[in-house]
Amino acid sequence: MSQTVTEASVWEVISQLSPTQQAGYLEAFEVLYGAGEGSDAALPQDAEAVAERAACATDIERFATQGFPDTCVLPFSALHRDFFADRRETMPLRGWREAWIAPRGYAKTSLVTYLDVLHACCTRRELFMVILSSRYRLAVDKVNEIRDTLTNNPWIRAVYGPQVGVRWNQGDIITSRGVRVLAASRYSQIRGLIWRSIRPTWVVLDDIDNSTLVATEVQRERQWVWFQSDVLKLGQSGPWGTNITAVGTKLHEDSLIGRCQRNPGFRVHFYQAVQRFAHPQAVPLWQQWRLLVTNLDDPDRTTTARAFFDAQAAVMCQEAEVLWPEKESYYDLMVERVFDGEGAFYLDKQNDPEASGTITFNMARAGYLTIEPSGLRRHDGVFVPWTRLSQIVAYYDPAMGERKGKTPDWACCVIVANDPQGYFYALDAYIAQYDRPDQQLRSIADLLWHWQIDTCGLEVNGFQGLLADDLRQALARKALTVQQDWGIGLVPVKNTKAKHVRIHAMEPLISNHWLWFADTLHHEFTRQFTAFRPIPDAGKDDGPDATEAAIRMLRGQIL
């Protein structure tokens, strides 16, 4: 007796196989039954599901709140409400290009790359979506999150039916109704991408920029050329034109999303965490508050500062407006501004990279100290006796010395101490540009002996790694000269993070007077801090580089 073989019966058999066994059948199933995908026959037909689908068809806010209450915990911000309203207008349209530029941590990825893509999958308003991120793994993780939600969310199953389709892989899925979502990155082969005779209908660029891709002019230009030649050419024109969405934080004025912001072909939605700062009359109070919250000598400084704010809140917050008060109040943002630094605040929260990179270290307002026989006299009046210091270390960043036809780097060996309260003190430094390595070693041996250093870090990236034995010999000769035993440990340090990123991280230490500078330091040493810009090859920065590494040693992040 013959039996009718249907798509459902075949899929039922395949779905019971193990993933390894399924691999040989899925592509054949797609070829046989792919043309039938997209049918509404499999949609739940109970009255409640039909009504819910109709209500959510163009209302992503309802889709989000009904289907994902665990994601939508806080009230929506102005950013989210604007997005919901915009989608209601643009959903029937094709071929639009848009950029959503919002602060880091403000659910822009959750809104666009997660909820909006899920809505497109469930309603089948898009057929072929590509999610692009700065790294392929990031894009895969985003697609996997969508895949897992489509698999497991009970509300989606009840309203839109089972979503698991013939391809349910890492970073590449095809839903039961024939909607494909594909992960890709700048390094993926996306030129000429096509599936079932159609090109991508929606391309989402989610945090496509990162600190590496915006670090140099060459990298930024390559990113933009790739975007113009590959991404914008992915789609198709006409009545089924491709939609393009770029969403992220602006890391540089000439980053990809920064250029989209200036491109008249893009509809731009721009947001800052602080929409309006407090009235100028509040500035003196905030300055007093900052002294309280950064006072490492007060173990209850956060409580002390909060009490001061609570007593003056009406004046300190006068006229202030923030984007998402339920997530971050004006006070929360001012705390972040202090502890993360001005640069990070303006970059991550205000989408203002120019303000973040104008002056990194304001050395005119830095904390200075005078070295006295019995200790350190900070210029804020605090005296730190030598016995109060926890540890004193050195860090040596060698240089090759003078080379024909090239301006040499500066060799630097810095002496840095810390105390139990968490303050750091840059006490002394050897810094020279034209000394040969043998001259450097003699001077550094004298410096280390003067301070009786027992631990010295040594950069071993590149040629510097060859100097470790030479430095040991120079230290041994110094001990022989003074005829005293001297045990000093050399700690090899191989830096992996970009130098300008490491140095930039010291900004809160300097602006909050958590790092103090001896007033006898060589003028070139402090000049390099003043001249530093958080971009590669912006100038000589060997003094700041050595200081940052010494602080990492004191924090136990190297030893």
Side-chain angles (χ1 to χ4, degrees):
M1 187 174 74
S2 63
Q3 182 177 1
T4 302
V5 178
T6 65
E7 175 183 351
S9 63
V10 173
W11 179 246
E12 182 179 359
V13 173
I14 293 177
S15 64
Q16 294 173 1
L17 301 176
S18 69
T20 303
Q21 293 171 319
Q22 287 180 5
Y25 297 96
L26 289 178
E27 291 298 327
F29 181 87
E30 183 179 340
V31 171
L32 286 172
Y33 297 107
E37 291 173 343
S39 169
D40 290 343
L43 292 173
Q45 297 303 315
D46 58 282
E48 186 176 349
V50 172
E52 192 64 46
R53 286 198 301 273
C56 293
T58 59
D59 190 344
I60 298 180
E61 181 175 5
R62 181 182 178 90
F63 178 84
T65 55
Q66 293 295 106
F68 311 91
D70 293 339
T71 300
C72 307
V73 176
L74 296 175
F76 292 120
S77 70
L79 157 67
H80 309 133
R81 293 190 295 271
D82 290 350
F83 180 81
F84 296 141
D86 183 81
R87 273 297 178 267
R88 281 192 288 270
E89 295 180 6
T90 60
M91 206 173 289
L93 308 177
R94 301 302 312 173
W96 40 257
R97 297 175 179 179
E98 61 179 2
W100 292 86
I101 305 173
R104 193 178 300 278
Y106 273 55
K108 53 189 182 296
T109 291
S110 298
L111 191 65
V112 179
T113 317
Y114 181 62
L115 292 173
D116 199 17
V117 171
L118 282 170
H119 183 270
C121 288
C122 292
T123 61
R124 206 169 179 263
R125 75 172 205 255
E126 302 286 351
L127 292 180
F128 185 8
M129 290 171 277
V130 177
I131 295 177
L132 288 164
S133 291
S134 58
R135 292 186 289 115
Y136 179 66
R137 185 68 250 175
L138 292 176
V140 168
D141 289 344
K142 291 177 173 67
V143 173
N144 288 350
E145 185 179 18
I146 292 165
R147 178 199 62 186
D148 295 344
T149 301
L150 290 173
T151 303
N152 302 316
N153 186 286
W155 181 83
I156 288 180
R157 290 199 303 270
V159 176
Y160 296 96
Q163 298 296 305
V164 178
V166 296
R167 186 179 303 172
W168 218 242
N169 303 329
Q170 294 271 331
D172 187 7
I173 63 172
I174 300 174
T175 70
S176 60
R177 300 184 67 217
V179 176
R180 185 181 184 188
V181 185
L182 175 68
S185 74
R186 173 180 164 180
Y187 304 101
S188 305
Q189 179 55 257
I190 61 173
R191 185 188 290 268
L193 191 61
I194 196 167
W195 171 66
R196 290 184 179 172
S197 301
I198 63 169
R199 294 186 178 276
T201 60
W202 187 21
V203 178
V204 178
L205 298 101
D206 185 285
D207 283 329
I208 196 67
D209 295 312
N210 63 29
S211 57
T212 300
L213 294 176
V214 304
T216 67
E217 183 178 354
V218 171
Q219 287 279 34
R220 295 190 296 270
E221 194 60 33
R222 285 176 179 170
Q223 179 91 325
W224 184 246
V225 169
W226 166 78
F227 177 69
Q228 289 181 307
S229 61
D230 287 17
V231 178
L232 294 184
K233 301 299 188 291
L234 268 179
Q236 51 199 11
S237 56
W240 198 244
T242 297
N243 298 328
I244 295 178
T245 298
V247 57
T249 302
K250 186 166 64 170
L251 302 181
H252 191 280
E253 290 297 334
D254 286 331
S255 64
L256 191 152
I257 204 162
R259 295 194 187 197
C260 288
Q261 184 184 12
R262 301 195 301 270
N263 190 317
F266 277 76
R267 293 183 299 107
V268 178
H269 309 266
F270 180 83
Y271 299 89
Q272 296 176 309
V274 177
Q275 298 178 298
R276 179 187 296 177
F277 286 93
H279 190 277
Q281 73 181 33
V283 170
L285 291 173
W286 282 110
Q287 290 173 336
Q288 294 178 52
W289 168 85
R290 182 169 187 148
L291 293 175
L292 296 173
V293 81
T294 59
N295 180 17
L296 297 183
D297 292 317
D298 179 6
D300 299 319
R301 54 190 170 273
T302 55
T303 303
T304 302
R306 181 71 204 210
F308 176 85
F309 169 78
D310 288 341
Q312 313 280 345
V315 178
M316 294 177 73
C317 292
Q318 184 180 350
E319 298 185 5
E321 293 181 10
V322 297
L323 177 61
W324 199 0
E326 294 84 2
K327 180 177 175 61
E328 290 184 316
S329 67
Y330 190 70
Y331 185 83
D332 296 331
L333 289 163
M334 293 304 100
V335 170
E336 186 170 341
R337 184 180 182 181
V338 169
F339 290 129
D340 291 355
E342 294 282 322
F345 174 78
Y346 277 96
L347 188 68
D348 293 338
K349 296 301 181 181
Q350 296 300 97
N351 280 300
D352 192 350
E354 286 196 345
S356 72
T358 303
I359 297 177
T360 302
F361 305 126
N362 188 339
M363 297 305 287
R365 296 184 179 179
Y368 292 92
L369 62 87
T370 299
I371 298 176
E372 298 181 358
S374 56
L376 310 175
R377 179 75 61 182
R378 293 187 343 206
H379 290 189
D380 64 352
V382 175
F383 181 74
V384 184
W386 294 117
T387 54
R388 181 176 158 187
L389 297 180
S390 302
Q391 190 179 7
I392 305 177
V393 302
Y395 186 87
Y396 175 31
D397 183 4
M400 286 292 290
E402 187 172 7
R403 287 179 288 173
K404 186 177 180 181
K406 186 175 181 180
T407 303
D409 288 334
W410 290 75
C412 183
C413 182
V414 64
I415 308 296
V416 183
N418 66 342
D419 67 20
Q421 281 66 43
Y423 291 104
F424 297 94
Y425 305 96
L427 302 176
D428 202 352
Y430 160 83
I431 185 165
Q433 189 173 28
Y434 292 97
D435 287 358
R436 300 187 309 273
D438 60 318
Q439 296 172 312
Q440 296 174 31
L441 294 174
R442 287 195 298 270
S443 297
I444 289 166
D446 291 340
L447 177 71
L448 300 181
W449 173 258
H450 173 76
W451 287 97
Q452 288 296 290
I453 298 298
D454 57 18
T455 304
C456 178
L458 173 65
E459 182 166 331
V460 295
N461 295 58
F463 87 94
Q464 294 97 326
L466 304 175
L467 293 179
D469 288 339
D470 294 337
L471 180 57
R472 288 190 181 93
Q473 293 175 17
L475 296 173
R477 286 193 294 270
K478 180 66 179 181
L480 186 62
T481 300
V482 298
Q483 296 185 351
Q484 290 188 26
D485 291 336
W486 184 20
I488 180 170
L490 294 184
V491 180
V493 178
K494 188 169 185 178
N495 293 306
T496 56
K497 186 180 290 186
K499 180 165 63 172
H500 69 281
V501 175
R502 289 187 282 107
I503 295 173
H504 192 240
M506 287 192 293
E507 193 266 328
L509 296 180
I510 295 175
S511 62
N512 294 327
H513 290 185
W514 296 334
L515 170 60
W516 294 81
F517 295 87
D519 53 15
T520 51
L521 284 164
H522 194 288
H523 67 87
E524 174 61 25
F525 183 84
T526 52
R527 187 204 67 79
Q528 290 185 7
F529 277 90
T530 301
F532 174 77
R533 297 294 180 270
I535 55 177
D537 304 320
K540 302 302 182 184
D541 51 18
D542 307 283
D545 186 26
T547 306
E548 184 277 332
I551 290 172
R552 273 189 288 139
M553 291 178 62
L554 290 169
R555 284 174 165 169
Q557 296 172 344
I558 290 179
L559 301 180

